[in-house]
Amino acid sequence: MTLTIGVDVGGTKVAGGVVDEHGTVLASNRRDTPAEDPAGTRDTIVEVAAELAREFPQATAVGIGAAAWIDAPGATVLFAPNLAWRDEPLRDYVTKAVGLPTVLENDANVAAWAEFRYGVARHADDSMVMITVGTGIGGGIVLNGKLWRGANGIAGELGHIQSVPDGHPCGCGRLGCLEQYASGNALVRFAQAGARQEPERAAQLLELAGGDPLAIAGRQITEAARAGDGVARDAFAQIGYWLGVAMADLAQSFDPQILVVVGGVVDAGDLLMVPTRTTYRDQLKQRGRFPVAEIEAAETGNTAGVVGAADLARRV
């Protein structure tokens, strides 16, 4: 059985694991990320991978999933918003330091690959589009059974599809991006605005936030919505609407076998998925003569980064 090592690099932690060809994590480790220190982050990755390689000398390759833009050859971190990397030749450094062939990929892409191979999309053999709904929005695309990276290695930035012309400014420099209407941050913004405008409908939400609309946070919105708070439920309906619109556009563009939603906001379950699916079906009602992809919640959870990176390494 072939074993490979996956390393998931984020702004706060570097998590590693040894993964078999069935997607099972046999051993794992982790370190804190020295995010302000590029060399320190690079060496932490090496430390995590080398420790696992010593424990499992039969491991054949290393895969790295990093919260960053990766160049087309998959060798260099071009830019990482939450790390101090700029034009970091990470792949070759890790290959030399650990002594194993290394694959470098964007974190959303490796998570998408894990979901395609071992998660809710494992029965698909051709295509999948995944949207990650967390603080922001990312994504990953599989076409013809392969991860689609684009001409420059940065395909799948689905959070920066424009939803509203001249809408809310986005950190990417554009206006009206999907990230500003369907992310965790958007959920909070909608809930805070609703609590200010209709405090009587936000009684439970405001109680959880100590009476201050500006103190409303994501977990409070989920808790209040589950308890029936009107404003909290409206906030989920709003982000679900915009997510459903975007997924209808993706279905029209890629005609995938399955659409997958993953991320912290998805933990709210039907509060998000029902309005998302309702809007999606409504947007595509004229396609009644053709099958369209179903929208499903991801299954691989917190191991997706490690498992996806390890499986991509298996394909070196």
Side-chain angles (χ1 to χ4, degrees):
M1 183 174 294
T2 303
L3 302 183
T4 48
I5 296 168
V7 183
D8 183 12
V9 184
T12 60
K13 73 177 188 326
V14 176
V18 175
V19 183
D20 69 17
E21 57 199 31
H22 302 296
T24 302
V25 180
L26 305 179
S28 60
N29 62 0
R30 61 180 289 169
R31 303 284 191 280
D32 292 337
T33 305
E36 300 302 319
D37 179 2
T41 300
R42 179 190 65 196
D43 291 337
T44 299
I45 294 167
V46 168
E47 181 182 339
V48 165
E51 180 180 285
L52 293 168
R54 287 191 298 271
E55 186 178 353
F56 290 83
Q58 65 270 48
T60 61
V62 176
I64 301 171
W69 287 356
I70 311 299
D71 70 349
T76 302
V77 176
L78 300 174
F79 173 78
N82 298 312
L83 299 165
W85 278 332
R86 302 294 184 271
D87 298 317
E88 177 72 33
L90 184 63
R91 183 190 66 188
D92 293 346
Y93 183 89
V94 174
T95 296
K96 183 176 180 180
V98 180
L100 290 174
T102 300
V103 170
L104 175 63
E105 189 52 82
N106 168 268
D107 62 339
N109 282 348
V110 300
W113 186 252
E115 205 59 43
F116 182 72
R117 289 278 290 134
Y118 303 110
V120 72
R122 63 188 175 275
H123 301 301
D125 57 4
D126 175 74
S127 52
M128 178 200 77
V129 177
M130 187 183 84
I131 290 187
T132 60
V133 185
T135 302
I137 286 184
I141 301 167
V142 176
L143 296 177
N144 298 321
K146 297 180 180 180
L147 192 63
W148 187 51
R149 304 184 70 249
N152 300 297
I154 55 173
E157 291 292 335
L158 304 180
H160 302 292
I161 297 170
Q162 189 180 64
S163 293
V164 181
D166 299 321
H168 288 286
C170 183
C172 75
R174 301 185 74 196
L175 298 177
C177 289
L178 177 64
E179 186 165 291
Q180 300 304 310
Y181 293 88
S183 65
N185 281 342
L187 178 73
V188 171
R189 191 180 72 245
F190 288 140
Q192 289 178 344
R196 288 194 299 269
Q197 294 164 7
E198 300 180 276
E200 69 284 354
R201 294 186 65 238
Q204 292 154 304
L205 186 55
L206 286 169
E207 182 180 353
L208 291 170
D212 181 6
L214 295 178
I216 291 171
R219 289 183 180 180
Q220 296 165 344
I221 302 168
T222 301
E223 183 178 346
R226 285 174 173 156
D229 185 275
V231 164
R233 295 182 74 87
D234 285 352
F236 274 107
Q238 285 176 281
I239 69 167
Y241 169 81
W242 290 112
L243 190 59
V245 169
M247 290 197 145
D249 289 342
L250 293 169
Q252 297 281 33
S253 299
F254 297 105
D255 189 25
Q257 289 173 291
I258 186 169
L259 289 157
V260 179
V261 188
V262 65
V265 177
V266 181
D267 292 341
D270 285 349
L271 289 169
L272 175 65
M273 298 302 288
V274 168
T276 297
R277 288 177 174 133
T278 299
T279 301
Y280 173 74
R281 287 191 288 267
D282 185 62
Q283 291 280 311
L284 295 177
K285 60 187 176 184
Q286 299 305 320
R287 281 192 55 174
R289 281 176 281 179
F290 303 95
V292 294
E294 293 296 323
I295 298 174
E296 303 291 349
E299 292 180 350
T300 51
N302 293 334
T303 65
V306 166
V307 170
D311 197 65
L312 288 172
R314 188 170 288 110
R315 296 160 194 278
V316 175

